[in-house]
Amino acid sequence: MTASDQPTSWTARLAELGVRLPPVAAPVAAYVPAIRTGQLVFTSGQLPFVDGGLRRTGKVGGAVDIEDAAADAKVCALNALAAIDDLVGLDAVARVVRVVGYVASAEGFSGQPRVVNGASEFLGRVFGEAGQHARSAVGVAELPMNAPVEVELTVELR
């Protein structure tokens, strides 16, 4: 998607993709889902919650395969967009700046970038060029609630 064919709003683009923002996931500890400072919004790490529960649990490369984990990373990104929308409105976003993905990894698993691509590719479909971002994909021993993946976003506002 180029600037000339950018939708009138990101909310409209989600609708074109047939995607609805879920309710903001309730924090599982002492934090807020998203916070604004200046022209940036930082989300807390988002888990792959759907209807208040995790889609699956376990380590990627073990009980969870890479394709399912990538789908979970997309859900995490969608949950992060919901937190941004709740705080400032999704249409206030100018661009995605950074994505950090944490992947609960079985011993020897090194495909973290492929997992986090689930979030990155989804953000690219939503935001086009404005969805291109810096990124880290980190393998970890454990995540909260035994989630396979967690994603946080940083976006710049218009």
Side-chain angles (χ1 to χ4, degrees):
M1 181 185 330
T2 64
S4 63
D5 63 332
Q6 180 175 311
T8 56
S9 77
W10 304 127
T11 305
R13 179 66 182 145
L14 281 176
E16 289 172 13
L17 294 170
V19 176
R20 290 186 2 187
L21 289 175
V24 177
V28 297
Y31 61 87
V32 295
I35 193 163
R36 177 181 180 170
T37 183
Q39 290 303 105
L40 297 176
V41 172
F42 297 84
T43 70
S44 295
Q46 299 293 312
L47 300 177
F49 284 122
V50 173
D51 297 327
L54 289 174
R55 290 168 45 120
R56 65 186 54 82
T57 60
K59 294 195 185 324
V60 183
V64 179
D65 70 39
I66 199 162
E67 291 79 17
D68 286 341
D72 287 343
K74 174 187 173 184
V75 170
C76 293
L78 183 61
N79 288 338
L81 294 182
I84 293 164
D85 186 60
D86 187 61
L87 182 67
V88 297
L90 194 59
D91 293 330
V93 173
R95 70 166 300 110
V96 178
V97 175
R98 186 161 192 247
V99 173
V100 180
Y102 302 96
V103 180
S105 301
E107 186 174 341
F109 179 73
S110 61
Q112 293 83 7
R114 287 181 51 205
V115 172
V116 182
N117 278 350
S120 294
E121 291 168 359
F122 171 67
L123 294 168
R125 285 191 296 278
V126 173
F127 294 100
E129 289 180 15
Q132 295 177 350
H133 52 268
R135 186 180 92 175
S136 297
V138 182
V140 298
E142 300 288 339
L143 286 170
M145 302 174 66
N146 198 27
V149 64
E150 180 174 347
V151 172
E152 58 187 55
L153 300 181
T154 304
V155 298
E156 180 182 16
L157 303 176
R158 298 183 198 276

